[in-house]
């Protein structure tokens, strides 16, 4: 089955700096890569996603890049703010005939933005 | 639209007992997935239901089971509880059956097994 590795497990940055979180996946059939943000005590929420036919996607201060050949994808947050502090999860999905997708998550990155 | 809801929010059980958790998806959503979240293992997929049928299953023992009703509400059952089952159980709903449907998570049920 799919295996998703996520690094680093913790990341501390100063407000205004950039943060980068990297994930690798094992199943070349994976074709959808969402990123979720989970604030302390809250539910995970989708912040950005990318499909396998796209190399990069940007939404304001966040962007995701995908390298299908190397089977890795990254989340980039620019101009970080204290409210960006949370756990970020990457995920990969594998299409399955006649079924909804199955999300395999990385183990998460705790991002701390210091004011 | 109301979000995904889960009941109860907190549960304390002892080893050997069984427990049933409930998930109500967003109105109109037909797919419900369940995840176990622990500090060491992160979010692990349990199973997914669509139109009352289990269509995907993760690598959990048979003590973990689920079902979905005709109104798309879903329940998850864990029998013969073990200490290691202590976790946050999250359900997520999505609208359709395609690969790109966003999953919306509920607040979770925090299960503690003593």
């Amino acid at each position: 089955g799919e295996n998703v590795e996520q690094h680093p497990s913790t990341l501390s940055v100063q407000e205004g700096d950039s943060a980068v979180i990297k994930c690798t996946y094992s199943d070349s059939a994976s074709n959808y890569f969402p990123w979720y943000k989970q604030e302390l005590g809250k539910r995970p929420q989708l912040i950005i996603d990318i499909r396998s036919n796209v190399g990069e996607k940007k939404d304001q201060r966040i962007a995701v890049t995908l390298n299908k050949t190397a089977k890795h994808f990254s989340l980039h947050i620019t101009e970080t703010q204290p409210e960006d502090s949370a756990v970020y999860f990457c995920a990969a999905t594998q299409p399955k005939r006649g079924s909804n997708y199955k999300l395999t998550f990385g183990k998460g990155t705790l991002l701390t933005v210091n004011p | 639209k109301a979000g995904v809801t889960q009941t109860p929010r907190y549960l304390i059980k002892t080893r050997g007992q069984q427990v049933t958790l409930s998930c109500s998806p967003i109105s109109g959503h037909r797919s419900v997935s369940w995840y176990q979240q622990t500090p060491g293992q992160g979010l692990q997929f349990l199973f997914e239901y669509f139109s009352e049928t289990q269509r995907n299953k993760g690598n959990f023992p048979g003590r973990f089971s689920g079902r979905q009703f005709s109104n798309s509400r879903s329940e998850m059952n864990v029998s013969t509880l073990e200490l290691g089952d202590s976790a946050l159980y999250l359900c997520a709903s999505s609208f359709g059956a395609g690969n790109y449907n966003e999953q919306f998570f509920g607040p979770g049920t925090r299960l503690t097994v003593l």
Side-chain angles (χ1 to χ4, degrees):
Chain A
E2 175 66 281
N3 183 50
V4 177
E5 299 281 342
Q6 182 172 348
H7 299 280
S9 56
T10 61
L11 179 59
S12 182
V13 300
Q14 290 299 123
E15 183 176 358
D17 287 350
S18 295
V20 180
I21 302 170
K22 299 181 179 181
C23 290
T24 60
Y25 61 99
S26 60
D27 190 342
S28 57
S30 292
N31 62 358
Y32 176 61
F33 307 91
W35 285 85
Y36 284 82
K37 174 184 180 182
Q38 187 176 27
E39 296 177 19
L40 187 62
K42 298 195 174 178
R43 68 191 76 187
Q45 290 193 300
L46 180 74
I47 56 171
I48 195 167
D49 55 16
I50 191 167
R51 301 185 185 187
S52 59
N53 59 348
V54 175
E56 184 175 358
K57 183 176 178 180
K58 190 173 181 181
D59 183 4
Q60 298 183 348
R61 294 186 298 108
I62 60 173
V64 57
T65 58
L66 170 65
N67 183 326
K68 283 174 54 181
T69 304
K71 289 190 281 187
H72 69 69
F73 56 113
S74 301
L75 177 71
H76 303 253
I77 306 174
T78 59
E79 300 171 21
T80 54
Q81 300 166 5
E83 51 265 38
D84 294 329
S85 296
V87 178
Y88 291 80
F89 293 96
C90 64
T93 73
Q94 311 83 54
K96 181 180 172 184
R97 190 175 216 163
S99 167
N100 202 348
Y101 56 89
K102 172 183 171 181
L103 270 178
T104 302
F105 283 89
K107 292 193 177 180
T109 296
L110 173 61
L111 173 64
T112 304
V113 180
N114 302 298
Chain B
K1 272 186 183 176
V4 179
T5 58
Q6 292 185 245
T7 56
R9 294 293 310 279
Y10 302 91
L11 265 178
I12 299 176
K13 293 286 187 179
T14 55
R15 279 182 300 173
Q17 288 187 307
Q18 75 165 23
V19 67
T20 300
L21 314 181
S22 180
C23 173
S24 292
I26 291 172
S27 177
H29 284 192
R30 296 167 63 191
S31 170
V32 175
S33 297
W34 288 89
Y35 298 87
Q36 181 194 66
Q37 185 173 24
T38 57
Q41 296 299 318
L43 280 157
Q44 292 188 289
F45 174 80
L46 281 154
F47 28 65
E48 181 246 342
Y49 288 87
F50 185 86
S51 293
E52 302 178 65
T53 301
Q54 185 185 91
R55 298 196 305 171
N56 255 317
K57 193 176 190 305
N59 299 321
F60 278 80
R63 300 185 296 105
F64 292 81
S65 63
R67 59 178 175 167
Q68 187 181 36
F69 302 96
S70 58
N71 61 358
S72 294
R73 189 177 69 86
S74 178
E75 286 183 348
M76 188 191 101
N77 186 75
V78 187
S79 62
T80 320
L81 284 166
E82 300 177 0
L83 295 178
D85 297 333
S86 295
L88 180 67
Y89 290 88
L90 292 160
C91 77
S93 76
S94 62
F95 174 73
N99 201 37
Y100 305 121
N101 283 268
E102 177 182 352
Q103 291 200 328
F104 293 84
F105 283 85
T109 293
R110 172 76 60 186
L111 172 64
T112 302
V113 182
L114 302 175

